Amino acid sequence: MQMSGAQMVCEAIIAEGTKTVFGYPGGAIMHVYDEIYKQDGFEHILTRHEQAAVHAADGYARATGEVGVAMVTSGPGFTNAVTGLATAYMDSIPMVVISGQVPLSLIGTDGFQEIDAVGISRPCTKHNFLVRTLEELPRIIKEAFYLARTGRPGPVLVDIPKDITVDIGEFVYPTEVNIPTYKPTYKGNKRQIEKAAEAIKKSKKPLLYVGGGAVLSNAYQLVRALAEKTQIPAVETLMARGVMGADNPLLLGMLGMHGNYASNMAMSETDLVISLGARFDDRVTGKLSEFAKYADVIHVDIDPANIAKLVDVDYPIVGDITQVLEDMMPLLEDVDTDRYQAWREILRRYDELHPQSFVDSDTEIKPQWVIERIGELVGEEAIITSDVGQHQMWAAQHYPFDRPRQWINSGGLGTMGFGFPAAIGAKVAFPEKTVVNITGDGSILMNMQELVTAAEYKTPVINVILNNQFLGMVRQWQSFFYEKRFSETDLTFQPNFKKLAEACGGIGYDVTTKEEFDAALKDAIEKDKVCFMNVAISRFENVLPMVPAGGALFNMMLPQKSEDDKGEK
């Protein structure tokens, strides 16, 4: 069929089964947007900023497991999108971003709104393409979706010059992809899996170290089955919250810089780390020379570049977690679960010694109480997103995550402003679910313009703003390590969040008591409109436990050893 390049883009998106595209138009991508106007194969959501468009596509992808799609124009349209690409890249999120580019004849001339999108995005995309001919356009889009969703997922950029979107040619969309240099390994090495199973049987203090790859692989049921069969305790990374389920007796909790005592001590004393889709991030390992120093390491990861990148590995297994565990489980039928009883008892005592807890108050709202209360009121079917900072860590520590893809946050890049647009993407994907964005008074301002998007498209995201009038996490570090010199972290000059929400078509609440919080959350759910819930929390509350940067996991700052900053309240 003869059609323009712009039509080909739309037809390819429809052929990939995409239901929703998030984007923002401009000159270089205008022909494609003209075709979007004419088609009815997918919905387009007009965000109010390109960064938000990519974050929304990201949130959609994290919530569904499908490829998220965003579309932007050239120049500043693309540079605004880079933060979204980098966020998705760090967390291995499947996404295709289509950007407009100046005509081929203007590339390299510093034309109006020209930018080297391919060069800029090379460090923060799984792959990128500059389309040079109309004939290669269908193949490139097909390959982009294939690359985004296979192997270790990630964002792929397709940069399309404006003249190619005008050209007319024959459209034949490929049914298969053949990239000779790209052959992901899904099946783990049989001999290595056998060796790993034997190591598990011989160990005395094994520990399941569950990472975000378990979510991306949709392997949570197998991970839970492995823990149940072997009775091996488990820890989750920030990106893996929900894999084991909050009520699982084998789950110790989250580990790392703000992990709980039992989890961090388990990693410090284990004799066998069973890593499933984790990349040994610095926020997890702390001081590398002290990380699991008594342990052998089994590392299962679909990306061979991740294995032994930071930590020496004794049993490397390249492959998809689901397929590796399917092969490993039968080899563990005769495992002696009683062998680990003493180890489980040690960890139980650690948890009793320093549980994940906080001191509540009758005179002010503690942020941890807010997190736990949200969990009680919105139910296990809710989707929780977050921005980045103290509120993110409190949510990860205290929310009862029951399943993967329930928790959506920026882990690797730590992007303030991610939570609200990501929540819009998740709500578009699952309109029947309650979606709550837990944010801070610093983060929410980064993409507050998306109030208009959420109001226009009737996407009732509940934004709970934990307002301590600080850039909270930076303030915490300044308290602990900079002698309380609060350099440029005081946010006492603030907008009226309630009126701001109302001005943009939503609803707002000012919350100063627990009773007001309950009433506001229930009202927000009932009214079913985008909202800002401005919650005045304890101003100098800290996220604890905390491992100082570069410190060993067993050297934690604990609540009873780090009292609230005296004299500051």
Side-chain angles (χ1 to χ4, degrees), residues 105-181:
S105 61
L106 289 180
I107 291 178
T109 70
D110 295 330
F112 177 67
Q113 292 193 332
E114 180 194 357
I115 199 74
D116 180 8
V118 167
I120 290 172
S121 66
R122 188 169 287 119
C124 60
T125 53
K126 183 177 178 180
H127 194 66
N128 56 24
F129 297 91
L130 172 62
V131 181
R132 297 182 182 276
T133 67
L134 181 65
E135 290 72 25
E136 66 182 0
L137 177 60
R139 172 187 60 79
I140 284 176
I141 296 179
K142 182 70 177 181
E143 289 181 0
F145 276 88
Y146 176 75
L147 289 167
R149 65 165 64 99
T150 57
R152 179 183 180 179
V156 179
L157 173 72
V158 180
D159 197 37
I160 309 176
K162 186 173 184 178
D163 51 338
I164 287 177
T165 64
V166 179
D167 290 346
I168 304 294
E170 187 74 17
F171 177 68
V172 178
Y173 198 61
T175 57
E176 296 180 354
V177 173
N178 181 24
I179 306 175
T181 56

Side-chain angles (χ1 to χ4, degrees), residues 256-272:
M257 178 173 281
H258 293 293
N260 63 7
Y261 185 79
S263 296
N264 286 350
M265 291 305 296
M267 186 60 79
S268 301
E269 298 183 6
T270 179
D271 65 3
L272 182 67

